[in-house]
């Protein structure tokens, strides 16, 4: 954690169309974090009597039992439920929900290995999977995580860095006051310059928060070309194989 | 806004808050527990929100569950920072025994601005909470024996000054509005909730769907900080004015 700013060069791998049964799917790796997202066809909202003019998204964010240092139970815990709600909120503003009234689209996210920044990775990957599934969308959606401890800011932190940034530390041995710390997740639609989800934890002042918003927006924009390339590659590949057959 | 404290007889601390048409009842119960392995020198706090079907017919059955988890999750995030709420004071014996606070929140009536009302009521209830005074702790083999003061009045107050207060900011049309009513919430294109503890943010989240422009986001953060700090000061002032628990009965 010592030092000013760690190098922001990260290994990112993206692939869509990995689950043959799903309408759309994506596999996403950022450093050691690996996750898989599948999107299924719109279907009627189960157990619903009244008509809803907007379609719904049904998101499930799940850590695989073996994905974290401690085993995760099969039943979704409070953390996973919260993450599901965050992903849902983030995606809702990206999807043209009025195009499929009274229907719901299922988005399942499975984290295979959690080494930090799983939530932002899940949002980005879910955006790709939705696009591949042909769900009408306003824009590509990308997300980034920033962890802050004192004056150190870490983009796309690892699990260890995330844990370090959730606890408050003293400024120095003599001071009683705690230093600022926290984790911020931001999801945005870059063409429209709209922030669809902003989630912060910890203890930060306004100035740090404003600075972080700028850093996160740039980070989210940086992934857009990767997402676009991934989708374009998929389309050219499908067109080619269609032409051959 | 109406605020009452110490309203539930069987709770260690309680409060009832009425904010326009929103009515919230909060009660704090305390039990002993074993500290978690990750934080052996900290106590625990848990929030439960119950959306009573009396509030609105929508809450019937499992209707209010989603809202309830959303509110309790936001409270958990807001109270997570050590700077906002220090759990180490709730530890009795490191790694062996600690106090666990159960904060039960009952929504009696929903008239908008739930997050703000709930966070104020929770802070007031925690302010009102009294933890029994522990006189001595002995370790007998693997069993922890502790002696609690027999005098019911002999209690320890919690340090709640820095506990967070939440403010909902709704974007309606071109403007950002605080303290929205239920009807105004329906009109909002996007809403943000900020938790403020001593002029610093402990949690920021969006409630409901909708997206914001970065400049609107920054504007609403600033507005939220301003309102949150004022609200917090006002609440603490009111709570400080309250007289300490009266001595009742001839024996105590």
């Amino acid at each position: 954690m010592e030092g000013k700013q760690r190098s922001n060069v990260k290994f990112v791998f993206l692939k869509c169309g990995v689950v043959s049964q799903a309408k759309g799917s994506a596999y996403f790796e950022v450093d050691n974090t690996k996750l898989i997202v599948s999107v299924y066809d719109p279907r009627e909202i189960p157990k619903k009597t009244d008509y809803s003019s907007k379609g719904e998204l049904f998101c499930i964010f799940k850590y695989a039992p073996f994905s974290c240092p401690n085993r995760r139970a099969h039943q979704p815990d409070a953390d996973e439920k919260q993450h599901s709600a965050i992903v849902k909120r983030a995606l809702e503003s990206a999807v043209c929900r009025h195009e499929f009234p009274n229907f719901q689209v299922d988005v399942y996210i499975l984290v295979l290995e959690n080494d930090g920044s799983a939530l932002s990775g899940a949002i980005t990957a879910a955006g790709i999977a939705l696009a591949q599934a042909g769900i009408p969308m306003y824009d590509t959606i990308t997300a980034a995580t920033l962890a802050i401890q004192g004056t150190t800011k870490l983009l796309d932190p690892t699990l260890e860095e995330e844990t370090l940034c959730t606890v408050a530390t003293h400024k120095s041995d003599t001071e009683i006051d705690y230093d600022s710390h926290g984790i911020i997740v931001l999801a945005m639609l870059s063409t429209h310059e709209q922030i669809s989800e902003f989630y912060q934890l910890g203890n930060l002042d306004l100035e740090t928060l404003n600075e972080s918003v700028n850093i996160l927006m740039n980070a989210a924009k940086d992934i857009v070309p990767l997402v676009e390339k991934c989708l374009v590659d998929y389309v050219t590949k499908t067109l080619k194989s269609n032409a051959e057959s | 806004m109406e605020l009452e404290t110490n309203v539930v007889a069987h709770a260690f601390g309680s409060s009832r808050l009425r904010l326009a048409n929103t009515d919230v009842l909060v009660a704090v119960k305390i039990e002993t527990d074993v500290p978690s392995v990750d934080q052996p020198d900290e106590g625990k706090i848990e929030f439960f929100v119950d959306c009573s079907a009396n509030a609105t017919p929508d809450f019937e059955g499992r209707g209010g569950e989603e809202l309830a988890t959303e509110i309790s999750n936001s409270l958990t995030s807001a109270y997570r920072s050590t700077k906002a709420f220090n759990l180490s004071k709730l530890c009795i014996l490191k790694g062996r025994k600690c106090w666990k606070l159960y904060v039960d929140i009952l929504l009696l009536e929903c008239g908008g601005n739930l997050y703000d009302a709930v966070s104020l009521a929770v802070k007031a209830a925690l302010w009102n909470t009294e933890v029994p005074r522990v006189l001595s702790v002995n370790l007998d083999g693997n069993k922890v024996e502790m002696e609690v003061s027999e005098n019911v009045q002999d209690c320890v107050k919690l340090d709640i000054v820095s506990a967070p207060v939440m403010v909902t900011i709704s974007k309606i049309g071109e403007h950002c509005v605080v303290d929205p009513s239920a009807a105004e919430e329906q009109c909002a294109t996007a809403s943000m909730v900020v938790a403020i503890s001593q002029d610093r943010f402990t949690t920021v989240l969006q409630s409901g769907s909708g997206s914001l422009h970065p400049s609107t986001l920054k504007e609403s953060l600033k507005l939220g900080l301003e309102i949150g700090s004022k609200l917090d000061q006002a609440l603490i002032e009111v709570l400080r004015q309250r007289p300490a628990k009266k001595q009742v009965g001839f024996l105590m």
Side-chain angles (χ1 to χ4, degrees), chain B residues 84-228:
Chain B
F85 186 67
N86 200 342
L87 284 168
S88 56
K89 294 208 171 105
L90 292 172
C91 181
I92 303 167
L93 187 67
K94 192 179 171 182
R96 298 286 187 149
K97 224 172 183 63
C98 68
W99 295 114
K100 184 171 186 179
L101 303 183
Y102 289 95
V103 184
D104 290 295
I105 300 142
L106 196 61
L107 302 178
L108 299 171
E109 205 179 328
C110 291
N113 213 5
L114 275 177
Y115 286 90
D116 305 27
V118 166
S119 75
L120 289 172
V122 166
K123 187 164 179 171
L126 285 170
W127 182 285
N128 183 235
T129 302
E130 291 180 321
V131 182
R133 190 185 293 279
V134 179
L135 295 177
S136 65
V137 187
N138 290 314
L139 196 61
D140 182 12
N142 259 339
K143 265 180 86 181
V144 184
E145 283 177 1
M146 62 175 211
E147 202 184 326
V148 178
S149 173
E150 279 177 16
N151 185 353
V152 193
Q153 300 287 334
D154 188 16
C155 287
V156 189
K157 282 261 182 195
L158 293 166
D159 180 24
I160 301 299
V161 181
S162 58
V165 161
M166 294 201 259
V167 181
T168 313
I169 304 128
S170 295
K171 188 173 183 268
I172 303 171
E174 293 293 301
H175 300 280
C176 294
V177 177
V178 288
D179 192 13
S181 67
E184 282 168 341
E185 271 174 9
Q186 291 292 319
C187 305
T189 43
S191 303
M192 300 208 61
V193 180
V194 296
I196 307 290
S197 141
Q198 297 192 315
D199 299 340
R200 293 164 78 89
F201 294 86
T202 62
T203 295
V204 180
L205 53 94
Q206 269 174 274
S207 73
S209 58
S211 57
L212 294 161
H213 192 267
S215 61
T216 324
L217 176 81
K218 285 178 184 170
E219 196 187 311
S220 43
L221 286 176
K222 206 177 140 204
L223 180 70
L225 178 68
E226 201 181 308
I227 302 289

